[in-house]
C-alpha cells in the first residue's frame, strides 16, 4: 500500500517492509512531474526527486548533527545534518521537514525558516544508490531535550564550526552533507550571527 500522510498516521511505528513509500519526482526547476517508489528512485542512475535538509542550532550557535542508525538501508552509520528526508506526494517541504525532525529526534524545531534549494547528484559508493535530489533547505533552532528514535538515529552531537571540520576529517559523513551545508550557509550565518563563525 502506498504511504501517504493519512496512511502513515494509521500505520505502526515500525511499519512493514512491504509498504511502498512514494516520492515526488520533479523536473530541473522543481516542478512535480510524477511519483516513484522510494528505493527505485535511488537506484542508479537515480530519478530526480524532491527532498529536504534541516539544520538546527542550539543557543550557542552549535549545529546538531545526527549519526544515521546502522539499520538504515541508505548511508547507515554515517554522520549527517540534523534531519533529512523526502516529502510525501502533495506534502509541502516545510511540513515534511518539521514532521521528520519530530519523528527522528523527538523535538519540534523553533524559528524554522526556508534557506533555499540545491540540486545535486551524489552516488553512494557503499550501497550503489544514487541521490538525484532537488533539495529544500531549512534552518532553525532546537530548544528542547532530544528524544531520538533509535531506529533512525544512532547518535547525536552539537558541534561548533571548528569542531565540525575536525569531525568531518576523522569520521564518515553522508555523501550529500557538504553540498547541503554549503548551500545553506547564508541562512545559517543570518540565524547564528558572526560569532558562531559558520
Amino acid at each position: 500500500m502506498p504511504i501517504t500522510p493519512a496512511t502513515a498516521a494509521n500505520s505502526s511505528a515500525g511499519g512493514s517492509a512491504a509498504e511502498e513509500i512514494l516520492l515526488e519526482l520533479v523536473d530541473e526547476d522543481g516542478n512535480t512531474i510524477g511519483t516513484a517508489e522510494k528505493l527505485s528512485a535511488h537506484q542508479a542512475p537515480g530519478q530526480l526527486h524532491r527532498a529536504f535538509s534541516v539544520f538546527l542550532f542550539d543557543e550557542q550557535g552549535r549545529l546538531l548533527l545526527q549519526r544515521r542508525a546502522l539499520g538504515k538501508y541508505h548511508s547507515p552509520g554515517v554522520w549527517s545534518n540534523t534531519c533529512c528526508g523526502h516529502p510525501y506526494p502533495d506534502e509541502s517541504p516545510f511540513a515534511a521537514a518539521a514532521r521528520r525532525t519530530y519523528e527522528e529526534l523527538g523535538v519540534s524545531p523553533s524559528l524554522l525558516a526556508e534557506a533555499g534549494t540545491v540540486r545535486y547528484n551524489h552516488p553512494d559508493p557503499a550501497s550503489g544508490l544514487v541521490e538525484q535530489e532537488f533539495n529544500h533547505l531549512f534552518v532553525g533552532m532546537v530548544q528542547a531535550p532530544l528524544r531520538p528514535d533509535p531506529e533512525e538515529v544512532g547518535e547525536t552531537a552539537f558541534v561548533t564550526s571548528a569542531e565540525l571540520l575536525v569531525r568531518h576529517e576523522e569520521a564518515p559523513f553522508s555523501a550529500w552533507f557538504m553540498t547541503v551545508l554549503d548551500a545553506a550557509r547564508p541562512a545559517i550565518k543570518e540565524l547564528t550571527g558572526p560569532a558562531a563563525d559558520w
Side-chain angles (χ1 to χ4, degrees):
M1 173 171 74
I3 296 294
T4 66
T7 56
N10 295 325
S11 66
S12 65
S16 156
E19 290 174 336
E20 182 181 61
I21 299 174
L22 295 179
L23 307 186
E24 200 169 76
L25 299 180
V26 299
D27 64 18
E28 293 292 339
D29 296 316
N31 299 307
T32 303
I33 58 172
T35 60
E37 192 277 324
K38 182 178 178 181
L39 184 57
S40 68
H42 288 89
Q43 290 172 337
Q47 295 174 277
L48 183 60
H49 57 274
R50 196 177 308 284
F52 64 83
S53 290
V54 177
F55 296 85
L56 297 184
F57 296 81
D58 67 9
E59 305 217 346
Q60 289 75 50
R62 298 180 302 168
L63 171 61
L64 173 58
L65 299 176
Q66 69 154 278
R67 187 171 62 80
R68 294 164 63 84
L70 292 174
K72 294 181 81 74
Y73 79 91
H74 192 339
S75 302
V78 303
W79 288 93
S80 198
N81 48 294
T82 308
C83 179
C84 54
H86 309 92
Y88 295 121
D90 298 321
E91 180 184 29
S92 76
F94 185 94
R99 172 180 57 80
R100 279 306 286 166
T101 300
Y102 186 81
E103 289 172 355
E104 292 188 8
L105 294 159
V107 292
S108 296
S110 304
L111 305 174
L112 191 64
E114 295 182 11
T117 60
V118 62
R119 193 267 196 244
Y120 53 77
N121 174 8
H122 283 304
D124 176 32
S127 66
L129 299 175
V130 178
E131 289 288 7
Q132 286 266 17
E133 293 190 330
F134 188 94
N135 196 304
H136 297 256
L137 308 171
F138 298 93
V139 300
M141 304 285 293
V142 59
Q143 298 175 305
L146 302 177
R147 294 179 291 111
D149 178 351
E151 292 191 6
E152 298 286 347
V153 180
E155 190 177 349
T156 61
F158 284 95
V159 297
T160 65
S161 59
E163 290 166 345
L164 175 61
L165 290 175
V166 173
R167 187 181 290 260
H168 192 261
E169 288 180 1
E170 296 177 348
F173 272 70
S174 63
W176 61 87
F177 175 75
M178 287 307 299
T179 299
V180 292
L181 175 63
D182 286 344
R185 277 188 198 274
I188 290 171
K189 290 177 180 178
E190 187 174 338
L191 176 73
T192 60
D197 197 29
W198 286 101

